[in-house]
Every structure is written in C-alpha cells, then in structure tokens.
Amino acid sequence: MTSADVRDMLNLPSNDGSTRPVKKQKIVEKRPEGVSREVFALLGEHAAPVSIVEAVKYKEKPKWSQKVTPWEVASFTNPARSDGLVLKHWRKRPKPAPVPVPALEDASATTTTPQEPQPPQEPAVDLNYHFAKFNVKVSVPEYTDAEYSGHLQSPDWTREETDYLFDLIRDFDLRWVLIADRYDYQPAGPSNNSSDASTAMSVTPKPRTMEDLKSRYYSICSTLLSLHSPLQTRTQAEDTLSTLYSSFSAAQETKRKAHATQLLTRSASEAAEEAYLLTELRRILSNQDRLQRERDELYARLETPPSLQSSGLAGMYTTSQGLAQLMQTLLAADKTKKAQGRRSIPGGGPDGSMPGPHAATSSPALPSSATRDTHHSSHRDSLSHAHPGPQKKSSLPLPPERRHLPPDIAARYGISYHDRLTSGPFFRHDKVTKLLTQKSNIQAQRMAAALTELSIPPRLVMPTRGVCEVYEGLIAKVGGLLEVRKVRERVEGEVRVLQVRAGEVGASTGSDPLAEKGGDKT
C-alpha cells in the first residue's frame, strides 16, 4: 500500500497539491414489485420511460379440505297423497353407520368363516318427505246431522247443496275465486222407478254468486262456533273470529264491488275531473285551516292580555267608556308624534324652521300683524320670482270629479262615499256607543230607557253599515224627542208657577185675573 492510497482513504490532498477527483454517486432505482431481479438488471442504469403495471390478481381457486359429498337417487312418498304413489329424487347420501368392532375371542372365528356375498339391496322408501311440512290445509268446520237439522237449516239452501259447497271449500282451501268459478251444483232429478214420469218435474239449480256462497259459509261457521265454544269460555282468537263471521254483509260486498268496477271502468276525462276535485278539496281544507288559525290569533289579540288580568287593570278597558278613553289617548299620542316629525323636518326659514306659525313663535317680539304681512309679502315675492308674469285664478287645474256608482250597485257591493274621513281605524260599534257616552248621565239613562221601551238591545247584535245608519237616525230622533219633552216639562212648570202666583194675587185682591183674561185655570 502506497502513501497515495492512504491519502486517498483518508481524503487527504496529494503531495503535489492537486485535489482528488470527486466520484459520481451511482443512482440505484428501486425495483418495482412483480418484476424479478434478473429482468430488472437487464434494463441497465437508464430504464425505459415505460410504466410498469402490476398484474391483476384474480381470485384463487378455493382449496377444499373436504371430499365431495356423493349424491344418490332415493325413493319417497308424499304424505299429501292418499294413493301411495312412490316417486324418486336425488339426495345426498347419508353417512354410513359405524361398524361395531368384534371381540378378541371372536376374531379367529370371524377370520376363519368366509362370508357369502349378499345381493344388492334397493334403497328404502323415504317416508319423511322434506316438503311435506308446506302442505298446510285450511281447517273447515264439520257438522253432524243433529246440528244441521237443529240449527243450520235454511229455506234457500238444501243439505245436499250445503255439503257440495263445503266439499269445494275443502278442495280449494277457501280460494273464493276458484270456488265461485267451479261451483256447478246440479240437484238430483226424479228417480227412474217412479210410476208417472210425465208428472215428474225437473229441479232447476239456483244461480249463486260469490257473496251468496260467502254468506252461507260464514253464517254456518258463526253458528257452529257459538255451539262448540260458548261465550263464557271463548278465547280472544275465537272472539275475534266470531266478530269477523258475524260482520260479513252480502249487500255491502256487492255494493263495494260495483263501486270498484265503476272506478276501474272510468274514462280519462272522468279521472282528470276527479283529480281536479280532489286538488280543490285539499286547497279548500288548507285555506280553512289557515283562516281558522288567523281567526284564533285575532281572538287571542282581542282578548285581555294575561298581564292586565293578573294586575287587575283589565277592568279599565271592559266598558265602552274605557275603550273610548283608550282610543282618545292613542289618537293624542299619534298626533304628538306627527307634530314632532313635522318640527324635525328642515324647512323654508333661514334657521331651518318651517315658515308659518312656527316662525311666529320663534320671534315673539314682532306683533302678529307684522308677522302676517311679512309672511304674505315673502310669499308673493317668491311667487313672483318663481313664476314671472300674470297668473289667473281660472288657469289652476281643478281636481277631477269622481264617478259615483248607482245606489243599488253601491249598496250591493258595500261601497260608500264620504266627504271627510276620520284619521285611523275605528270599531263601528264604538262609533255607535259614542252616541250615548257623549251625553250626560241623565240623558244617557233616559235614552237607554227609551230604547228598552222600544225593545232595542243596548248592544247591537250585527252592527253592519246599514244597521248603524238606521241606529244613528233612531238615536237622533230619540234625542230630539227627549229635548222636546224637556222643553215641554219646563214650560208646564213655568205655567204652574204662574198659576200659583195668579191665585195668590187673586186671593189678595178678591178677583180672579185668569177669569178676567179668559184664561184656563187648568
């Protein structure tokens, strides 16, 4: 080993001062899975730019650890058949029974005695058929001669036809469509050994519908159930079955089938009309529910709040006077808010205030006449600057005249015309009640007594617009009548005072001044 090798191993510079050449690192690519090492080595340092796709692994063949089960042909009999027919089918061969091991002392005997070959035996017939459990039969009640003669007789059914019906029911397992299709009862004709064959009459079978067959069967089942299971010892299942038997109605079943036939044979236009009617019905019901909710909400709003009921303040607003006072308070608060809103609007004054009465209140030193003249002069100047030239009063546009409907049409649709409308909503009944509350207590009592004399309730049952108008007219006439009565009573009182004074003067003078003037003393 030379010094150059040692220097090379220790990465030291050489004696001549030259640097050691840098070795290139070899790039080792990872071998992909599924490619053998020899094949990958053949690619060299520069592998081809081809993507190596891993092979698809299919499902492996299952490895059975057991042997294949042998099958054999076996004979069997079906318990559902009564003719004893033997059939054959394939089945798995049963495992053989374990052979018993012979004793030691008998081993020599068994080995010495040769066994004779036995002939092959035929497989035994399988009596336990696997699918016999699916042979479910309907339990049809049976009746005796005594039960039929005592409880099951019917003037429309004979014993032979009833037996024929029950035989069909057992054969077709209560499948009523098949029973009605195969029902063909032929009554027994006259006997051949009758002496007079010409007088014998042929019996014509009665046509039976499916409802007739069901009604006969269910009535017999209900009677037999009541005979075999009294009401005191019945179970819940028997009670339910008895209810089903007794609730069948042949007329209702016929009507149901007629409705079903009519529904199935309807045309496309009839189906579309029915769908439209059902849609309208759903819409009406939904609107009815919505209106009912809104009505309940309105009633809840009109009722006394729970807070007022608990605090005892609800009595203030239960009378008409309390409601009128509440309405006046609300109107006053509304007017105050409107006035405050008008004051807050920047207007035509130099200081931002509205001209007019507000300007007069803002400068109290000026007299009212001077303020009025200044206002009018400024108004004229503004008009002259804004619209130069003469202005005629007749040139101003007139408001369009409203067209009025005929009285009958207006009364039909509830349309009314007013010269001046009150501000805000109001209850029509409150307007009618104010006619009495605005009067004094004595006048209100007298008017209430007059209305009671006329058999008019103090609170209107149906305060419509027409009824309120008639009621207002009646109140005005009653008020005028009371005023006339008041004047009459005052005049009569004055007349009585004058008569008393005249009597006193006549007693002092000895003469009758009323008789002298031709007056009536009465």
Side-chain angles (χ1 to χ4, degrees):
M1 181 181 294
T2 63
S3 62
D5 297 334
V6 173
R7 289 178 181 274
D8 189 15
M9 294 172 59
L10 298 176
N11 292 329
L12 296 176
S14 61
N15 295 330
D16 56 359
S18 61
T19 58
R20 185 175 58 89
V22 180
K23 295 182 179 180
K24 294 182 179 181
Q25 294 182 358
K26 188 176 181 180
I27 301 174
V28 180
E29 296 184 1
K30 185 179 179 181
R31 180 170 57 87
E33 297 180 0
V35 179
S36 63
R37 182 167 50 86
E38 292 78 5
V39 175
F40 186 72
L42 294 175
L43 296 177
E45 295 181 358
H46 303 285
V50 179
S51 61
I52 301 175
V53 182
E54 185 179 359
V56 180
K57 294 183 178 180
Y58 295 98
K59 188 177 179 180
E60 297 180 357
K61 183 179 180 180
K63 299 179 180 178
W64 297 101
S65 60
Q66 299 178 359
K67 295 182 179 180
V68 179
T69 305
W71 288 69
E72 65 178 2
V73 179
S75 303
F76 71 95
T77 57
N78 191 351
R81 302 180 64 94
S82 58
D83 52 357
L85 178 65
V86 178
L87 302 175
K88 294 182 180 182
H89 65 169
W90 286 91
R91 71 172 183 179
K92 290 184 178 182
R93 182 182 301 171
K95 294 182 180 181
V99 179
V101 179
L104 294 177
E105 56 273 10
D106 299 338
S108 59
T110 55
T111 54
T112 55
T113 57
Q115 295 181 356
E116 297 180 358
Q118 298 180 359
Q121 298 180 358
E122 295 182 359
V125 178
D126 188 6
L127 301 179
N128 298 326
Y129 185 50
H130 177 69
F131 296 96
K133 59 184 178 181
F134 299 105
N135 183 28
V136 180
K137 303 293 290 184
V138 178
S139 60
V140 180
E142 298 180 356
Y143 49 85
T144 61
D145 297 340
E147 290 175 347
Y148 185 87
S149 60
H151 306 280
L152 305 179
Q153 288 185 355
S154 174
D156 199 22
W157 288 77
T158 60
R159 172 64 184 272
E160 292 76 9
E161 189 174 4
T162 305
D163 295 341
Y164 178 76
L165 172 63
F166 271 70
D167 292 339
L168 282 180
I169 290 173
R170 293 187 187 94
D171 293 341
F172 296 107
D173 293 334
L174 281 176
R175 295 181 178 88
W176 290 107
V177 177
L178 297 178
I179 295 171
D181 181 67
R182 299 297 179 88
Y183 191 86
D184 187 17
Y185 174 71
Q186 298 295 333
S191 58
N192 297 329
N193 53 3
S194 58
S195 59
D196 192 358
S198 60
T199 58
M201 299 177 61
S202 62
V203 181
T204 304
K206 296 181 180 180
R208 302 292 186 184
T209 60
M210 186 185 299
E211 288 73 22
D212 297 337
L213 304 180
K214 286 184 178 182
S215 179
R216 177 60 174 169
Y217 173 72
Y218 291 146
S219 62
I220 292 178
C221 290
S222 178
T223 305
L224 292 177
L225 184 60
S226 60
L227 291 176
H228 298 165
S229 300
L231 187 61
Q232 297 80 6
T233 60
R234 284 184 186 175
T235 61
Q236 185 177 2
E238 292 177 348
D239 195 6
T240 305
L241 193 60
S242 176
T243 305
L244 292 177
Y245 286 154
S246 59
S247 61
F248 178 77
S249 176
Q252 185 177 358
E253 185 72 9
T254 304
K255 188 182 297 184
R256 183 189 66 81
K257 289 186 177 181
H259 285 308
T261 304
Q262 185 178 3
L263 183 63
L264 293 175
T265 56
R266 60 181 178 174
S267 60
S269 59
E270 293 176 351
E273 183 180 0
E274 184 177 354
Y276 172 75
L277 293 177
L278 290 176
T279 306
E280 288 294 321
L281 179 61
R282 296 191 194 96
R283 184 182 62 82
I284 291 172
L285 292 178
S286 62
N287 292 340
Q288 184 179 2
D289 296 339
R290 180 177 56 83
L291 292 176
Q292 184 64 31
R293 289 194 301 270
E294 293 178 356
R295 188 181 294 111
D296 296 340
E297 183 180 358
L298 179 60
Y299 286 161
R301 291 179 180 272
L302 293 177
E303 288 179 355
T304 306
S307 59
L308 295 179
Q309 291 181 358
S310 60
S311 60
L313 300 177
M316 297 174 56
Y317 306 106
T318 54
T319 60
S320 58
Q321 296 179 359
L323 292 176
Q325 182 181 0
L326 177 61
M327 186 178 66
Q328 294 296 335
T329 305
L330 295 177
L331 290 177
D334 191 15
K335 290 180 180 177
T336 305
K337 291 181 180 179
K338 290 182 179 178
Q340 292 177 356
R342 286 195 297 268
R343 293 193 191 97
S344 62
I345 299 175
D351 55 350
S353 61
M354 294 293 293
H358 299 287
T361 56
S362 62
S363 59
L366 296 177
S368 60
S369 60
T371 305
R372 191 182 306 110
D373 294 339
T374 304
H375 175 67
H376 288 307
S377 63
S378 62
H379 183 63
R380 285 195 298 272
D381 293 342
S382 63
L383 289 177
S384 63
H385 289 298
H387 304 282
Q391 296 287 339
K392 293 184 180 180
K393 187 176 181 182
S394 60
S395 62
L396 297 176
L398 297 177
E401 184 179 358
R402 292 187 300 175
R403 176 175 173 269
H404 294 274
L405 295 175
D408 53 347
I409 299 179
R412 178 181 178 183
Y413 293 101
I415 302 174
S416 60
Y417 302 95
H418 305 276
D419 296 336
R420 182 175 177 275
L421 295 176
T422 59
S423 61
F426 62 91
F427 290 103
R428 190 179 291 153
H429 191 273
D430 294 340
K431 183 179 179 181
V432 174
T433 309
K434 285 182 181 179
L435 300 175
L436 298 179
T437 57
Q438 292 177 354
K439 306 291 182 181
S440 62
N441 294 334
I442 299 176
Q443 289 182 352
Q445 292 177 1
R446 290 180 179 178
M447 294 182 72
L451 292 177
T452 304
E453 185 179 355
L454 295 175
S455 301
I456 298 176
R459 185 179 181 89
L460 297 178
V461 179
M462 187 63 67
T464 58
R465 185 172 62 86
V467 174
C468 291
E469 291 178 358
V470 175
Y471 189 78
E472 291 176 2
L474 177 62
I475 291 295
K477 292 181 181 179
V478 171
L481 180 61
L482 293 177
E483 291 294 335
V484 172
R485 182 185 297 178
K486 182 179 179 181
V487 172
R488 176 176 172 273
E489 290 177 355
R490 187 177 68 240
V491 172
E492 288 179 354
E494 293 177 357
V495 169
R496 285 193 295 268
V497 170
L498 292 176
Q499 287 179 357
V500 171
R501 290 180 180 178
E504 292 177 355
V505 172
S508 60
T509 58
S511 62
D512 192 356
L514 295 178
E516 292 176 0
K517 294 181 181 181
D520 190 2
K521 295 182 180 181
T522 59

Short mmCIF file of all heavy atoms in Angstrom, two decimals, residues 38-61:
data_model
loop_
_atom_site.label_atom_id
_atom_site.label_comp_id
_atom_site.label_asym_id
_atom_site.label_seq_id
_atom_site.Cartn_x
_atom_site.Cartn_y
_atom_site.Cartn_z
N GLU A 38 -33.48 -10.41 -12.06
CA GLU A 38 -32.74 -10.59 -13.28
C GLU A 38 -33.29 -9.73 -14.41
O GLU A 38 -32.54 -9.11 -15.18
CB GLU A 38 -32.74 -12.07 -13.69
CG GLU A 38 -31.96 -12.99 -12.77
CD GLU A 38 -32.74 -13.31 -11.49
OE1 GLU A 38 -33.92 -12.87 -11.42
OE2 GLU A 38 -32.20 -13.95 -10.57
N VAL A 39 -34.61 -9.68 -14.50
CA VAL A 39 -35.22 -8.86 -15.56
C VAL A 39 -34.94 -7.39 -15.33
O VAL A 39 -34.66 -6.62 -16.26
CB VAL A 39 -36.74 -9.13 -15.64
CG1 VAL A 39 -37.41 -8.21 -16.65
CG2 VAL A 39 -37.00 -10.57 -16.01
N PHE A 40 -34.98 -6.95 -14.08
CA PHE A 40 -34.73 -5.55 -13.79
C PHE A 40 -33.28 -5.18 -14.03
O PHE A 40 -32.96 -4.03 -14.40
CB PHE A 40 -35.11 -5.26 -12.33
CG PHE A 40 -35.02 -3.81 -11.98
CD1 PHE A 40 -35.95 -2.90 -12.46
CD2 PHE A 40 -34.00 -3.34 -11.17
CE1 PHE A 40 -35.86 -1.56 -12.14
CE2 PHE A 40 -33.90 -2.00 -10.85
CZ PHE A 40 -34.83 -1.11 -11.33
N ALA A 41 -32.36 -6.14 -13.82
CA ALA A 41 -30.95 -5.87 -14.09
C ALA A 41 -30.67 -5.71 -15.57
O ALA A 41 -29.72 -5.03 -15.97
CB ALA A 41 -30.07 -6.97 -13.50
N LEU A 42 -31.46 -6.35 -16.43
CA LEU A 42 -31.27 -6.22 -17.86
C LEU A 42 -31.62 -4.82 -18.38
O LEU A 42 -31.19 -4.44 -19.47
CB LEU A 42 -32.12 -7.26 -18.61
CG LEU A 42 -31.71 -8.74 -18.40
CD1 LEU A 42 -32.71 -9.64 -19.10
CD2 LEU A 42 -30.30 -8.99 -18.92
N LEU A 43 -32.41 -4.05 -17.60
CA LEU A 43 -32.78 -2.72 -18.05
C LEU A 43 -31.62 -1.76 -18.01
O LEU A 43 -31.62 -0.74 -18.71
CB LEU A 43 -33.93 -2.19 -17.20
CG LEU A 43 -35.25 -2.96 -17.29
CD1 LEU A 43 -36.27 -2.38 -16.33
CD2 LEU A 43 -35.78 -2.95 -18.70
N GLY A 44 -30.59 -2.03 -17.16
CA GLY A 44 -29.43 -1.16 -17.08
C GLY A 44 -29.68 0.02 -16.16
O GLY A 44 -30.65 0.07 -15.39
N GLU A 45 -28.73 0.99 -16.28
CA GLU A 45 -28.83 2.15 -15.41
C GLU A 45 -29.97 3.07 -15.84
O GLU A 45 -30.59 3.74 -15.03
CB GLU A 45 -27.51 2.92 -15.42
CG GLU A 45 -26.35 2.13 -14.83
CD GLU A 45 -25.07 2.94 -14.83
OE1 GLU A 45 -25.12 4.09 -15.34
OE2 GLU A 45 -24.06 2.45 -14.32
N HIS A 46 -30.19 3.18 -17.11
CA HIS A 46 -31.23 4.07 -17.63
C HIS A 46 -32.41 3.21 -18.09
O HIS A 46 -32.37 2.63 -19.18
CB HIS A 46 -30.71 4.91 -18.79
CG HIS A 46 -29.50 5.73 -18.42
ND1 HIS A 46 -29.58 6.87 -17.65
CD2 HIS A 46 -28.18 5.54 -18.70
CE1 HIS A 46 -28.37 7.36 -17.48
NE2 HIS A 46 -27.49 6.57 -18.10
N ALA A 47 -33.42 3.17 -17.20
CA ALA A 47 -34.60 2.36 -17.54
C ALA A 47 -35.47 3.09 -18.55
O ALA A 47 -35.46 4.32 -18.65
CB ALA A 47 -35.41 2.04 -16.29
N ALA A 48 -36.16 2.34 -19.34
CA ALA A 48 -37.04 2.94 -20.34
C ALA A 48 -38.21 3.64 -19.66
O ALA A 48 -38.73 3.17 -18.65
CB ALA A 48 -37.54 1.84 -21.29
N PRO A 49 -38.66 4.79 -20.21
CA PRO A 49 -39.79 5.52 -19.59
C PRO A 49 -41.13 4.84 -19.87
O PRO A 49 -41.99 5.40 -20.56
CB PRO A 49 -39.70 6.89 -20.24
CG PRO A 49 -39.10 6.63 -21.57
CD PRO A 49 -38.14 5.48 -21.40
N VAL A 50 -41.26 3.65 -19.42
CA VAL A 50 -42.50 2.90 -19.60
C VAL A 50 -43.00 2.52 -18.22
O VAL A 50 -42.23 1.99 -17.40
CB VAL A 50 -42.28 1.64 -20.47
CG1 VAL A 50 -43.58 0.88 -20.61
CG2 VAL A 50 -41.72 2.04 -21.83
N SER A 51 -44.26 2.80 -17.96
CA SER A 51 -44.84 2.48 -16.65
C SER A 51 -45.09 1.00 -16.55
O SER A 51 -45.67 0.38 -17.45
CB SER A 51 -46.16 3.24 -16.45
OG SER A 51 -47.07 2.86 -17.44
N ILE A 52 -44.61 0.45 -15.48
CA ILE A 52 -44.78 -0.98 -15.24
C ILE A 52 -46.01 -1.17 -14.38
O ILE A 52 -46.08 -0.68 -13.24
CB ILE A 52 -43.54 -1.56 -14.55
CG1 ILE A 52 -42.30 -1.34 -15.43
CG2 ILE A 52 -43.74 -3.03 -14.25
CD1 ILE A 52 -41.02 -1.76 -14.78
N VAL A 53 -47.03 -1.80 -14.93
CA VAL A 53 -48.31 -2.01 -14.25
C VAL A 53 -48.30 -3.38 -13.61
O VAL A 53 -47.89 -4.37 -14.25
CB VAL A 53 -49.49 -1.87 -15.23
CG1 VAL A 53 -50.80 -2.04 -14.48
CG2 VAL A 53 -49.43 -0.53 -15.94
N GLU A 54 -48.70 -3.39 -12.40
CA GLU A 54 -48.75 -4.66 -11.68
C GLU A 54 -49.85 -5.53 -12.25
O GLU A 54 -50.94 -5.06 -12.59
CB GLU A 54 -48.98 -4.40 -10.20
CG GLU A 54 -48.92 -5.66 -9.35
CD GLU A 54 -49.14 -5.34 -7.88
OE1 GLU A 54 -49.31 -4.14 -7.56
OE2 GLU A 54 -49.14 -6.28 -7.08
N ALA A 55 -49.56 -6.78 -12.38
CA ALA A 55 -50.53 -7.71 -12.95
C ALA A 55 -51.74 -7.85 -12.03
O ALA A 55 -51.63 -7.79 -10.81
CB ALA A 55 -49.87 -9.07 -13.17
N VAL A 56 -52.94 -8.03 -12.65
CA VAL A 56 -54.17 -8.19 -11.88
C VAL A 56 -54.21 -9.57 -11.27
O VAL A 56 -54.00 -10.58 -11.97
CB VAL A 56 -55.40 -7.95 -12.78
CG1 VAL A 56 -56.67 -8.11 -11.97
CG2 VAL A 56 -55.33 -6.59 -13.43
N LYS A 57 -54.47 -9.57 -10.00
CA LYS A 57 -54.54 -10.85 -9.30
C LYS A 57 -56.00 -11.31 -9.24
O LYS A 57 -56.85 -10.61 -8.69
CB LYS A 57 -54.00 -10.72 -7.89
CG LYS A 57 -52.50 -10.41 -7.85
CD LYS A 57 -52.00 -10.35 -6.41
CE LYS A 57 -50.51 -10.08 -6.37
NZ LYS A 57 -50.01 -10.03 -4.96
N TYR A 58 -56.25 -12.45 -9.85
CA TYR A 58 -57.60 -12.98 -9.84
C TYR A 58 -57.81 -13.83 -8.59
O TYR A 58 -56.85 -14.17 -7.88
CB TYR A 58 -57.86 -13.81 -11.10
CG TYR A 58 -57.82 -12.98 -12.36
CD1 TYR A 58 -56.67 -12.93 -13.15
CD2 TYR A 58 -58.94 -12.25 -12.75
CE1 TYR A 58 -56.63 -12.18 -14.30
CE2 TYR A 58 -58.91 -11.48 -13.91
CZ TYR A 58 -57.76 -11.45 -14.67
OH TYR A 58 -57.74 -10.69 -15.79
N LYS A 59 -59.10 -14.12 -8.36
CA LYS A 59 -59.42 -14.94 -7.21
C LYS A 59 -58.84 -16.35 -7.39
O LYS A 59 -59.00 -16.98 -8.43
CB LYS A 59 -60.93 -15.03 -7.04
CG LYS A 59 -61.37 -15.70 -5.76
CD LYS A 59 -62.87 -15.68 -5.63
CE LYS A 59 -63.31 -16.37 -4.35
NZ LYS A 59 -64.80 -16.37 -4.21
N GLU A 60 -58.17 -16.75 -6.35
CA GLU A 60 -57.53 -18.06 -6.42
C GLU A 60 -58.57 -19.17 -6.32
O GLU A 60 -59.68 -18.97 -5.81
CB GLU A 60 -56.51 -18.20 -5.30
CG GLU A 60 -55.36 -17.21 -5.40
CD GLU A 60 -54.38 -17.41 -4.27
OE1 GLU A 60 -54.65 -18.28 -3.40
OE2 GLU A 60 -53.35 -16.70 -4.25
N LYS A 61 -58.20 -20.28 -6.81
CA LYS A 61 -59.07 -21.44 -6.75
C LYS A 61 -59.20 -21.90 -5.30
O LYS A 61 -58.20 -22.02 -4.58
CB LYS A 61 -58.49 -22.57 -7.59
CG LYS A 61 -59.37 -23.79 -7.67
CD LYS A 61 -58.73 -24.85 -8.55
CE LYS A 61 -59.59 -26.09 -8.62
NZ LYS A 61 -58.99 -27.14 -9.47
#
